[in-house]
Amino acid sequence: MIPTSFPPAAEISRLTAKMLLEIKAVHFNTAAPFTLASGLPSPTYIDCRKLISYPRIRSTLMDFMAVTVMRNAGFEAFDNIAGGETAGIPFAALVAERMALPMTYVRKKPKGYGRNARIEGVMTEGQRVLLVEDLTTDGGSKLSFVDAIRETGASCAHTAVIFYYDIFPDTVQKLGDHGVTLHHLCTWWDVLAEARASAAFDEATLTEVESFLTAPRAWQDAHTAKP
């Protein structure tokens, strides 16, 4: 069913942060920082994949995503919803259902046999495709998915995520330079504000996390072991 209720964007962000905290998808650890895929340390980690196991939260967030992209991009702006392998696939399917559109997904790389394609499902030339993912950090992984979509002759000018880090200043520009607009439900700043309001973590931890969010590169430099 296509959602017809359009909560204010700020309330969507607050409620999304609240839900992520409620299911403990948010992890803060300043004493023993997490190691990112880049090898750099971070006191924050978020696991959006947990959302698929919580039907009430999952349903609400997918309503939020559908109304966000319709409000921001247009009510008749898309012909196809594509999920990025693998985390984006369930969310793309749920958004496609709400928007009554075909769903496809994009592989990170071709299988190496059969059609050797990166697009699974039916995507045709001229279709306007919305790329759906769980989150974005610096936007880099989105560009590969967008390029695979465009290679079919379809267009992809929008990507939507549940969570956007919003701590690296060049992310939006990087996507914009590639002709892609980013839509999101909440950021680390929304999570930090809700964590403070609900006392989800002690204040010392929240202060250290805020230090990281304000200057992530400097924080990582200070917490990376020197050879």
Side-chain angles (χ1 to χ4, degrees):
M1 176 181 289
I2 298 174
T4 56
S5 176
F6 286 73
E11 182 66 356
I12 285 177
S13 296
R14 186 188 73 80
L15 287 172
T16 301
K18 181 180 178 65
M19 293 176 202
L20 290 167
L21 286 163
E22 182 177 341
I23 66 170
K24 300 189 184 320
V26 174
H27 301 273
F28 292 159
N29 192 328
T30 57
F34 305 97
T35 300
L36 302 178
S38 63
L40 294 172
S42 170
T44 66
Y45 178 74
I46 189 154
D47 183 6
C48 289
R49 296 168 191 250
K50 290 184 71 174
L51 293 168
I52 61 176
S53 297
Y54 295 86
R56 286 176 287 277
I57 288 176
R58 179 186 70 204
S59 179
T60 302
L61 290 180
M62 294 303 96
D63 283 351
F64 285 172
M65 184 171 284
V67 301
T68 295
V69 297
M70 287 192 293
R71 175 162 53 198
N72 294 349
F75 291 82
E76 300 293 339
F78 304 107
D79 306 301
N80 193 307
I81 308 296
E85 183 190 18
T86 54
I89 293 174
F91 301 122
L94 293 164
V95 171
E97 186 71 13
R98 280 158 175 75
M99 297 182 70
L101 290 171
M103 180 262 177
T104 51
Y105 71 87
V106 191
R107 291 185 176 276
K108 293 177 183 177
K109 58 184 181 180
K111 289 186 292 186
Y113 59 90
R115 293 185 303 115
N116 206 35
R118 290 187 64 190
I119 306 296
E120 298 292 353
V122 178
M123 183 181 293
T124 58
E125 184 174 356
Q127 283 191 324
R128 301 162 300 169
V129 179
L130 171 67
L131 173 64
V132 171
E133 282 265 70
D134 61 335
L135 58 80
T136 191
T137 51
D138 63 0
S141 66
K142 304 294 173 289
L143 304 185
S144 175
F145 288 140
V146 168
D147 288 344
I149 290 168
R150 290 174 177 171
E151 285 171 6
T152 70
S155 65
C156 184
H158 298 269
T159 184
V161 299
I162 296 166
F163 191 82
Y164 166 41
Y165 270 49
D166 195 22
I167 60 175
F168 302 112
D170 60 343
T171 302
V172 172
Q173 181 178 343
K174 181 188 297 184
L175 289 167
D177 289 345
H178 212 67
V180 180
T181 298
L182 174 66
H183 309 276
H184 64 275
L185 301 186
C186 81
T187 71
W188 273 129
W189 300 105
D190 300 309
V191 169
L192 180 64
E194 186 62 25
R196 276 211 164 99
S198 62
F201 297 89
D202 63 86
E203 186 55 36
T205 295
L206 295 175
T207 298
E208 186 68 12
V209 165
E210 184 173 13
S211 174
F212 166 73
L213 298 180
T214 302
R217 301 304 189 197
W219 192 96
Q220 288 171 332
D221 287 345
H223 291 78
T224 300
K226 301 298 188 291

